Amino acid sequence: MSTDSGPDQSLSRNVTNILGVKISSRDPNTKWDVTIREKVISSIKPHDPESIIPSSNPQVLNGHNCLLAPSLCHPHIHLDKCFLLNDPKYADLEIENGDFAEALTLTSRAKSRFNHDDLLRRGGWLIEESISAGVTCMRAFVEIDAIVQFKCLDAGLMLKDRYQKTCYIQICAFAQDPLFSGENAAENRRLIEEALWREGVEAVGSTPYVEANKGRARDNIVWAIDRAKSYRKHLDLHLDYHLDASQDPMVDYVISRLHNVRWTSSMNHQTIVLGHCTRLSKFAAGE
């Protein structure tokens, strides 16, 4: 695991040769040796079963007859809320009901205790665990609201810089709390907008389903889309997180709004991601 001094150096080995691996496009009964030069595969040759693979050379990786595959992308992680149940600091926040309402309540209580060192420690655990599983890029949500202010963002940007040699971390300024409901709504909007000026923030995200009603949820969607367009950021909405078929899904409204603002013709490479969306599983065949 990482410490405040930096990431585990074993995660950034300069490997130049991967020996004795399977490749998906080749005969599964064959093994191959891969040579890498300047971070690009320069050759793939049949593996010599008589060759001796040195165990002491850190630049040579013994593939052990495993499948060689592209690295993984984690498109949805929360750097600030990871490992809460594994950290003694939050041991008193026990799950009793296991429902979504309880999760929001416990998370809110945990957020009031967040500090810089705590966020760096748990976020580092998650990143290093991801890298060890083959992840080399991720979209990381960091919450910004009246409770945590910029604590999560500051830690996220520091982790982005700390692990830049081993994992590309795309920071999303994320509003988990309401933007149009409750006493902190205006402050939450102000903080998110301020965060979008920060170097290293590449996406903006929000959670329309936490608003008090459908009208406020639509306001949330409109605001998030407009901010993404104004600041030229990727857009990530956590949407339709329920299984109630009697409720109309909000995804239709999102698509309509994106057409209205001519997203595809006015934005360059900025993408749109809709997360959670469990309501989609209740769509009829015609929908």
Side-chain angles (χ1 to χ4, degrees):
M1 290 296 181
S2 66
T3 65
D4 289 342
S5 61
D8 183 347
Q9 295 304 310
S10 67
L11 297 174
S12 55
R13 289 168 57 183
N14 183 25
V15 174
T16 59
N17 297 87
I18 305 174
L19 308 181
V21 294
K22 293 181 180 295
I23 297 177
S24 61
S25 59
R26 310 291 173 91
D27 185 336
N29 295 314
T30 60
K31 293 194 289 186
W32 301 84
D33 293 342
V34 178
T35 302
I36 301 168
R37 295 290 181 266
E38 298 182 356
K39 300 182 179 181
V40 176
I41 293 177
S42 59
S43 71
I44 301 176
K45 298 179 179 179
H47 175 65
D48 180 1
E50 301 299 323
S51 64
I52 299 175
I53 301 177
S55 59
S56 59
N57 187 345
Q59 292 186 311
V60 179
L61 181 64
N62 188 340
H64 293 292
N65 202 30
C66 292
L67 176 68
L68 182 65
S71 61
L72 304 176
C73 172
H74 201 325
H76 185 131
I77 67 164
H78 292 264
L79 274 183
D80 40 17
K81 295 189 289 192
C82 60
F83 293 114
L84 289 176
L85 299 181
N86 300 83
D87 196 312
K89 179 177 178 179
Y90 305 98
D92 60 304
L93 301 179
E94 297 183 1
I95 297 175
E96 296 180 358
N97 301 323
D99 57 18
F100 184 64
E102 182 186 45
L104 287 179
T105 299
L106 292 180
T107 301
S108 181
R109 288 170 58 188
K111 284 168 61 175
S112 67
R113 307 182 198 175
F114 285 178
N115 61 51
H116 189 66
D117 291 341
D118 163 45
L119 289 161
L120 288 180
R121 181 179 67 255
R122 291 185 292 101
W125 290 351
L126 178 59
I127 293 167
E128 293 199 4
E129 181 181 83
S130 299
I131 294 171
S132 66
V135 172
T136 58
C137 61
M138 60 177 67
R139 172 169 290 178
F141 301 99
V142 290
E143 295 193 18
I144 298 165
D145 54 50
I147 298 175
V148 294
Q149 303 281 313
F150 297 124
K151 290 179 184 178
C152 304
L153 175 61
D154 291 339
L157 290 172
M158 183 171 289
L159 290 167
K160 174 184 175 74
D161 181 68
R162 178 179 292 180
Y163 289 92
Q164 61 178 310
K165 292 183 179 180
T166 48
C167 185
Y168 173 62
I169 302 172
Q170 185 185 77
I171 297 295
C172 178
F174 182 61
Q176 173 70 63
D177 287 359
L179 295 173
F180 287 90
S181 310
E183 60 184 6
N184 292 325
E187 177 68 358
N188 291 342
R189 294 198 303 274
R190 185 191 69 79
L191 290 168
I192 289 286
E193 189 137 15
E194 185 176 338
L196 295 178
W197 287 102
R198 297 277 295 272
E199 183 177 356
V201 174
E202 298 181 66
V204 58
S206 71
T207 318
Y209 60 76
V210 300
E211 299 288 355
N213 54 56
K214 286 282 188 179
R216 295 303 186 193
R218 292 189 182 94
D219 291 339
N220 183 307
I221 291 167
V222 169
W223 188 88
I225 292 174
D226 289 350
R227 296 289 81 68
K229 282 204 65 182
S230 297
Y231 291 90
R232 315 299 290 181
K233 305 294 184 183
H234 300 286
L235 175 67
D236 201 307
L237 296 174
H238 295 191
L239 202 70
D240 291 334
Y241 197 17
H242 62 86
L243 294 172
D244 186 352
S246 67
Q247 289 190 39
D248 291 333
M250 296 298 291
V251 63
D252 296 334
Y253 183 77
V254 171
I255 294 172
S256 174
R257 181 66 186 176
L258 290 168
H259 280 302
N260 289 342
V261 301
R262 301 183 183 278
W263 180 285
T264 55
S265 62
S266 60
M267 301 293 272
N268 297 323
H269 66 283
Q270 289 84 2
T271 59
I272 304 159
V273 175
L274 304 182
H276 298 298
C277 294
T278 49
R279 171 64 176 82
L280 299 185
S281 67
K282 295 295 183 179
F283 272 21
E287 295 178 293

